[in-house]
Amino acid sequence: MNLAAKDIRHNLGRFILTVFGIGMLLMVVMGMAGIYRGLIEDATLLVERIGADLWVVQRDTRGPFAEISRVPRSLVYRLLAVPGVQSAREFVFHTIQREHRGKPLRMSILGLSWPLDKGEWLPLIAGRPLGQNHYEMVADKTLGFRLNERIKLGKDTFTVVGITSGMVSTNGEGMAFLTVLDAQAVQFDMPGEAIRLQRAARERRSEKDDVFLSQPLLVERLARPAAELPAITSPDLSAVVIRVAPGADPAAVAATISTWADVSVFTRTAQEELLLQGMVDKARRQLGMFRVLLTVIAAIIMALILYTLTLDKLHSIALLKLIGAPNWTILGLILQQAIALGAAGYGIARLVGEKLFPYFPRRVIVTNEDLLQLAVIVVVISVLSSLLGIWRAMRVQPNEALMG
């Protein structure tokens, strides 16, 4: 006869409630590990999906994700002339916040270098990649857009031609993919009144310049949009991404580009390390500390529960000793209950977590390694937490059974 199973059946209601509470606590521990891995996945997702060998950014900056980077469009053609460079693509990345269906909507916009990059590499679940240079968009499903829906951004209206899955930025925001020209049009969009004031300011400054006073036709040209003025360059890019030719050494190509005074160059690995050590480092460490803290709390709670269960059985334990039951029988009773409590709690944590984690605002990735690690932790916690109950059981004297 198994005394642990008999005692659990005798107090089944209390055992179920206790298991459920332990399971919810272990689910949070499991969720912390999943959020941690999801944070890492989101931080490095775009760098891995783009597949560039080198990232060229503004000098003394750490790339388009960590801080603002501005490089001229002409940099693309300079890089194509470097030996070992197979392709160089424009890269524009920024975040905007708009209102959609009466609610605030925050999205990250990535400009694709049309026509070299139409978004064929995106994990589409509906629709198609970009088919033209303007007014089309591929959006992640977390943004809530519908296929063929028309979205107004700035002065232009874009049609959602494709829906992706799992394409989010380092902050967990869904991404929208436009061509570079459209992404820049959204990024540098200005209200009509701001444009009018800008033109008026240029005209006022021209009234104090002898060149414009002697050539009135120049004043008329100042009324044109800023993008059409010869003296004003086209909008800058966030970065230029490079693929190295087969057989070429990426380190040698990077060394050549790094001698230029206006840019910095990073390998794919370096860009991922910058993201992990910069943008998500504190969040990653904080999640790790919470996970350790919750594990310790789970151990303490289980120890207190098992101690309380042992106190309720002191008379029965004394009676067992009185009739000559060996100590290992009593030890087995408490230890088996502790392991059963931990195993059942782990099972509930896994089942409930699989149902709830997909609804979390940020991605939760629970791997088999994490599940195995948590299972080992639960076994260790169960054994250690049973020690307090075992210690109290060993102090029970057989004559206490005769005292009522």
Coordinates of all heavy atoms in Angstrom, one line a residue, residues 17 51 60 88 157 171 224 247 261 278 283 292 316 321 338 351 369 371 388 390 404:
L17 N -5.9 22.0 -5.4 CA -5.8 23.4 -5.3 C -4.3 23.8 -5.1 O -3.8 24.7 -5.7 CB -6.6 24.0 -4.1 CG -8.1 24.0 -4.2 CD1 -8.8 24.4 -3.0 CD2 -8.5 24.8 -5.4
G51 N 20.1 38.7 -44.2 CA 21.2 37.9 -44.7 C 22.3 38.7 -45.3 O 23.1 38.1 -46.1
D60 N 31.0 56.3 -36.6 CA 30.9 56.4 -35.2 C 29.5 56.2 -34.6 O 29.1 56.6 -33.5 CB 31.4 57.8 -34.7 CG 32.9 58.0 -35.0 OD1 33.6 57.0 -35.0 OD2 33.3 59.1 -35.2
A88 N 25.0 45.7 -53.2 CA 24.8 46.7 -52.2 C 23.4 47.2 -52.3 O 23.0 47.6 -53.4 CB 25.8 47.8 -52.3
T157 N -1.6 56.8 -50.0 CA -2.4 55.7 -49.6 C -1.8 54.4 -50.1 O -1.6 54.3 -51.3 CB -3.9 55.8 -50.1 OG1 -4.5 57.1 -49.5 CG2 -4.7 54.7 -49.6
N171 N 11.5 46.0 -30.5 CA 10.6 46.5 -29.5 C 9.3 45.7 -29.5 O 8.4 46.0 -28.8 CB 10.3 48.0 -29.7 CG 11.5 48.8 -29.5 OD1 12.3 48.6 -28.6 ND2 11.6 49.9 -30.3
R224 N 9.9 75.9 -55.2 CA 9.7 74.5 -55.5 C 9.8 73.7 -54.2 O 10.4 74.1 -53.2 CB 10.7 74.0 -56.5 CG 10.6 74.7 -57.9 CD 11.7 74.1 -58.8 NE 11.6 74.7 -60.2 CZ 12.4 74.4 -61.1 NH1 13.4 73.5 -60.9 NH2 12.3 74.9 -62.3
G247 N 33.7 33.4 -52.5 CA 35.1 33.3 -52.5 C 35.9 34.5 -51.9 O 37.1 34.5 -51.6
A261 N 36.4 57.7 -44.3 CA 36.2 58.6 -43.1 C 34.8 58.9 -42.7 O 34.5 59.4 -41.6 CB 36.9 60.0 -43.4
G278 N 23.4 46.0 -26.4 CA 23.0 47.4 -26.3 C 21.5 47.5 -26.0 O 21.1 47.7 -24.8
A283 N 17.1 44.5 -20.4 CA 15.8 43.7 -20.3 C 16.1 42.2 -20.2 O 15.5 41.5 -19.4 CB 15.0 44.0 -21.6
V292 N 15.1 33.7 -11.7 CA 15.8 33.2 -10.5 C 15.0 33.4 -9.2 O 14.8 32.6 -8.4 CB 17.2 33.8 -10.3 CG1 17.8 33.3 -9.0 CG2 18.1 33.3 -11.5
S316 N -0.6 10.8 12.8 CA -0.5 9.5 12.0 C 1.0 9.1 11.9 O 1.2 7.8 12.0 CB -1.0 9.8 10.6 OG -2.4 10.2 10.6
K321 N 5.2 5.2 13.9 CA 6.4 4.9 14.7 C 6.0 3.9 15.8 O 6.8 3.1 16.2 CB 7.0 6.2 15.2 CG 7.7 7.0 14.1 CD 8.5 8.1 14.7 CE 9.3 8.9 13.6 NZ 10.1 10.0 14.2
A338 N 6.0 15.2 -2.2 CA 6.7 16.3 -2.8 C 6.9 16.2 -4.2 O 6.7 17.1 -5.0 CB 8.1 16.6 -2.0
L351 N 0.8 22.6 -19.8 CA -0.5 22.6 -20.5 C -1.1 24.0 -20.6 O -1.5 24.4 -21.7 CB -1.4 21.6 -19.9 CG -1.1 20.1 -20.0 CD1 -2.1 19.3 -19.2 CD2 -1.1 19.7 -21.4
E369 N 14.9 22.5 -24.6 CA 15.9 22.6 -23.6 C 15.4 23.3 -22.4 O 15.8 23.0 -21.2 CB 17.1 23.5 -24.2 CG 18.3 23.7 -23.3 CD 19.3 24.6 -23.9 OE1 19.2 24.8 -25.2 OE2 20.2 25.0 -23.2
L371 N 12.3 23.3 -21.3 CA 11.4 22.4 -20.6 C 12.2 21.4 -19.8 O 11.8 21.1 -18.7 CB 10.5 21.7 -21.7 CG 9.5 22.6 -22.4 CD1 8.8 21.8 -23.5 CD2 8.5 23.2 -21.4
L388 N 12.3 20.1 4.9 CA 11.7 20.7 6.1 C 10.7 19.8 6.7 O 10.6 19.6 7.9 CB 11.2 22.1 5.7 CG 10.6 22.9 6.9 CD1 11.7 23.2 7.9 CD2 10.0 24.2 6.3
I390 N 10.5 16.5 6.3 CA 11.2 15.3 6.8 C 11.8 15.6 8.2 O 11.7 14.8 9.1 CB 12.2 14.9 5.8 CG1 11.5 14.3 4.6 CG2 13.1 13.8 6.4 CD1 12.5 14.0 3.5
G404 N -3.5 11.7 22.1 CA -4.7 12.2 21.4 C -4.4 12.9 20.2 O -5.2 13.4 19.5

